[in-house]
Every structure is written in C-alpha cells, then in structure tokens.
Amino acid sequence: MSDSVHGRLPSLKGFITRPPSPALAAYVQRFWWVEGDGSQTFDEQMLHPDGGSGVIFNFAEPLNFDGTQCSLRTLIAGPQLASARLQLVGQVRMMGVRFHPGMGDAVFGIGLDELAGFHDASWPRLGFAHLIDQLAELKRDAQQAVVERELLRRLSASQARRTPVQQLLAQIAAEGGRARLTDLLQSVPLGQRQLERLFRHQVGMTPKQFSRIQRVALVRNQLRTGQPLLDTALACGYSDQAHFIHDFKRVVGMTPGQYRLRAKNS
C-alpha cells in the first residue's frame, strides 16, 4: 500500500507500533501507541488519507484536529478524502488500531460511506467505547490482546461478499492510482453500478476518490526525491500540470511546491 499517515510513521517521540497477530494481518495494518508528558513539544502532524480507517483510544487530554478540540475518549477514524492536521498538547497517552483500506466495515458492522472523518465510537452501532476503561489500566501487550479478541469476535462477514471490492482495491493500489478506472472496472466480475455501491460501503469512498488519494500519495513520495515538478507529474501519470496541481491541492490542502518546501524544512 502506498505511503500514508500510518505508512510513513509520524515523527513523534514516544510513538511505537506493533504488527497484528497472523489471524488479523489481512485486516489490520498495525497497532500503535503514543505517550508523552506536558513538558514535551509535539510538532503538528499532517494526517494524509490512504483509504484506511481505524479506532483511537485516548487516555489523556483532548486531541486537536484542524484547530478543533475533540474530547471524545474513543474515536472512529473513518476514511479521509483530504489531509487533516493533528496537534498534541499536554499529557499524551493514546492507543490505536489501523485497518487496511476496505477492511473497516467488516469490523464496524456499518458502511464506511457513513463514517468519513472522525466519529464517536460509543455509537450503539459501533460499540467500542466499553473498552476504554479496561484498556486504560493495562500495559501494551495486554491492551493489544484485548482489542484483538474484540476484533476477531466481530469478523463474521462473508469473504465471498467482499472479494470483488478487494480485487478492485488491490488493482488500484498496485498501480498507485495511475490505471484507467474504466479498464479496471471491466476486469472485475460484477456490474459496474453494483461494484461501485459495494465499494462505497466497504471503503467509504468511490473508486475514483480512492484512486485519487493513491496517486497523490505516490506524488508525495516523488516530491521527497527533489525531482522537478513537471517530471513528478508525468511519472505519476498526469498529462497536464493543472490537473496535477488541482488533485494534489484538493487532497493535501496545499500545492505540490508548498508541500515540497514544507517537507524540506522539516
């Protein structure tokens, strides 16, 4: 899968990750933890979309997303269509689990097209909030074990129902969003309208939107190499610079040139 907020790990002191158990590897990218005290200064983190989703358990002070304080202790991080900004202040103690694109709906029991952005995980249909007090008292190994048991209990969806979407998702990701969607849709043994409806339900966005964020992630990787912007645009499958800049700004919130300067300075 292409680079993302969780693919290229945040540059935070106290941030660690662990892989899931083999039984969950097809669904879970990783488990992660962040800890720090009020004396630390945390840089603002850019949370770039990757098509994935996750759950965040916050055991300390409220989080700040795009300048808005979030006091929820348990959050569902649904699929993003644009980059967000996270600012951590004061006492920080969090745990999270990140799902592969297209896998969150099997865990949440709700279509990801209803979960874009950040949501309260105490919704009756989601039901993760009951874990927060138990997890707060445990160490990392025990926390992961508790969450893994909960995830395995939830994974009862039929794989046959999920196969066509997973096939299309894998093809888009393998091409870094550069392949023609019309060609990919024709290669999947399901009607286009039905496939797009299932894709929105399982992934939380349309195939076109997922393709866009995959290609923009590819651009972000290329920009860090320092090659000229036009060469980057062509390498990532853009036929004109206007489309290249429009897509990038729509997802990341800044132009490719501004992003490259920010990456160089940081």
Side-chain angles (χ1 to χ4, degrees):
M1 190 61 64
S2 62
D3 174 48
S4 72
V5 56
H6 296 279
R8 184 171 64 87
L9 302 181
S11 55
L12 289 173
K13 183 179 180 181
F15 181 90
I16 68 169
T17 69
R18 290 180 180 173
S21 65
L24 286 169
Y27 295 88
V28 174
Q29 290 185 23
R30 58 179 56 85
F31 290 86
W32 58 266
W33 292 261
V34 180
E35 293 189 17
D37 59 41
S39 65
Q40 292 181 245
T41 300
F42 294 94
D43 292 334
E44 179 182 77
Q45 295 296 311
M46 291 287 291
L47 308 183
H48 299 300
D50 69 343
S53 57
V55 183
I56 300 172
F57 300 97
N58 184 21
F59 309 112
E61 298 186 31
L63 307 177
N64 190 308
F65 295 103
D66 291 330
T68 301
Q69 188 177 83
C70 176
S71 59
L72 297 172
R73 299 182 67 201
T74 312
L75 297 88
I76 299 297
Q80 300 167 237
L81 294 179
S83 302
R85 298 170 187 265
L86 170 65
Q87 181 65 53
L88 302 174
V89 295
Q91 187 71 26
V92 175
R93 183 170 175 248
M94 289 188 292
M95 174 198 179
V97 54
R98 186 72 178 174
F99 303 114
H100 292 297
M103 294 301 180
D105 78 296
V107 173
F108 299 137
I110 183 173
L112 292 188
D113 50 348
E114 299 182 48
L115 290 176
F118 297 93
H119 297 271
D120 187 349
S122 66
W123 285 5
R125 296 172 67 187
L126 296 171
F128 276 95
H130 70 284
L131 296 176
I132 187 71
D133 291 329
Q134 179 184 2
L135 294 173
E137 303 299 322
L138 300 176
K139 295 184 178 180
R140 291 178 190 137
D141 287 345
Q143 286 177 335
Q144 181 169 341
V146 167
V147 176
E148 288 207 341
R149 284 196 297 270
E150 177 69 14
L151 297 181
L152 288 169
R153 183 182 69 80
R154 290 166 174 256
L155 289 175
S156 58
S158 167
Q159 187 60 35
R161 177 178 63 83
R162 300 174 57 78
T163 296
V165 169
Q166 297 307 312
Q167 179 181 335
L168 178 59
L169 194 109
Q171 290 175 337
I172 293 173
E175 295 292 334
R178 291 173 292 185
R180 283 169 48 90
L181 272 177
T182 51
D183 296 337
L184 297 183
L185 288 167
Q186 291 175 2
S187 71
V188 178
L190 197 66
Q192 179 174 337
R193 185 169 297 180
Q194 184 181 2
L195 178 58
E196 290 180 341
R197 185 170 61 251
L198 284 174
F199 197 99
R200 285 196 302 272
H201 180 88
Q202 294 183 25
V203 185
M205 60 188 71
T206 66
K208 182 177 181 180
Q209 289 169 329
F210 181 71
S211 182
R212 178 188 296 123
I213 66 173
Q214 291 297 306
R215 184 148 62 153
V216 168
L218 186 65
V219 170
R220 288 191 284 108
N221 276 327
Q222 292 291 324
L223 288 175
R224 286 194 289 272
T225 68
Q227 69 178 359
L229 293 181
L230 181 57
D231 291 349
T232 296
L234 295 174
C236 294
Y238 287 98
S239 57
D240 64 86
Q241 197 160 356
H243 186 198
F244 164 64
I245 294 173
H246 176 270
D247 267 13
F248 193 91
K249 191 171 182 179
R250 185 171 182 176
V251 174
V252 182
M254 62 184 75
T255 67
Q258 290 169 332
Y259 179 85
R260 185 169 63 180
L261 181 61
R262 177 189 173 100
K264 181 179 179 180
N265 291 338
S266 62

